[in-house]
Each structure stands twice: as C-alpha cells, then as structure tokens.
Amino acid sequence: MSATTIAARLEKTYARIQKERMRDMPLLNRKLRVEAVGFRDWGAQAAIGVLVTPWFMNLMLVSTQREAWGDLPVGSQVQHPFPSGSYEFIVGEEARIGRYQMCSLFSPMFEFEDQAAAVATADAVMSALL
C-alpha cells in the first residue's frame, strides 16, 4: 500500500467516524474537515503524515503491510527517532486501516480559525519533523 493510498484510506475512515461516532460531540470544530497532510513513505514498510480532523491533529505512522504491528498491544507506547528528535506514539487500530501509531499534536481543535490554518500547521509539523 502506498503513502497516497494510506492517506486516502485515513480520510475516508475518519470522515465516516466523524459522521457516525463523533456527530453530536461538542468538541468538534465545525470549521474543519478531515484531511491527510504530507503523507510520505517512512522506511521500508510505513508511511507518515499528519491527520487533521475537527477533533484532533495527530502525527500518524501507518504500516504499508496491513497485518503489521500485531505484536504491539493497542494502547501501548512506542518511541520513534526522527531527524528532529525522538517522539512517543500510541498504538491504535481501526478496522479499515489496521494497526497504526499516533502522536497527538492538538486536541481539541478550537484554536484553528479555519482549514487553511490547520493544514498550514500540519505542513509545518512535517517540515520540522523531517
């Protein structure tokens, strides 16, 4: 699975989560929408990028191999080194994505005036990270 495919799958999955599970939650910034930003290959078997949603912004590390990371319990913490430093990720899982690792950047998202501001921040995160 390519980084582009992963980004599209994240957008589709989290847009559905917004409509189904998050629909009536008061923590949604209604000025924002789900968008995968800056996804690219990371190592031989993963993609990394930022997922912007109306309720969070996370750095997401998603395996290109759907069955990967099965030995990591959901909720466990994993450290990953990057050029800008080492960051802690938490293992999560969604049926349409499989296991992934996330590093929280913002939650909730009320400090963002609009989608452009959130995406600019996500782009800055990716530039600073790598």
Side-chain angles (χ1 to χ4, degrees):
M1 194 169 13
S2 71
T4 303
T5 301
I6 287 170
R9 186 170 287 172
L10 283 167
E11 286 180 351
K12 185 175 181 179
T13 299
Y14 278 87
R16 177 175 279 173
I17 289 169
Q18 179 182 350
K19 288 178 185 173
E20 294 175 358
R21 295 185 223 164
M22 301 299 292
R23 180 182 59 239
D24 297 324
M25 295 294 186
L27 60 87
L28 295 179
N29 180 340
R30 307 252 179 231
K31 298 175 187 173
L32 303 180
R33 67 180 185 282
V34 174
E35 187 171 346
V37 179
F39 274 80
R40 62 195 70 177
D41 292 332
W42 181 255
Q45 296 182 346
I48 192 159
V50 176
L51 182 61
V52 173
T53 76
W55 65 99
F56 72 73
M57 182 186 301
N58 287 349
L59 187 59
M60 301 288 286
L61 187 60
V62 182
S63 176
T64 57
Q65 309 300 314
R66 194 156 163 79
E67 295 79 30
W69 301 331
D71 59 330
L72 298 174
V74 171
S76 64
Q77 299 171 351
V78 181
Q79 288 286 129
H80 288 285
F82 292 91
S84 62
S86 183
Y87 299 93
E88 184 174 274
F89 287 70
I90 297 172
V91 177
E93 186 169 28
E94 280 294 329
R96 292 177 176 89
I97 300 166
R99 291 262 165 106
Y100 59 87
Q101 298 177 36
M102 62 189 161
C103 179
S104 180
L105 301 171
F106 296 93
S107 183
M109 296 288 285
F110 294 119
E111 66 189 83
F112 295 97
E113 180 63 31
D114 56 25
Q115 187 72 16
V119 169
T121 300
D123 282 333
V125 165
M126 289 304 292
S127 293
L129 181 72
L130 304 174

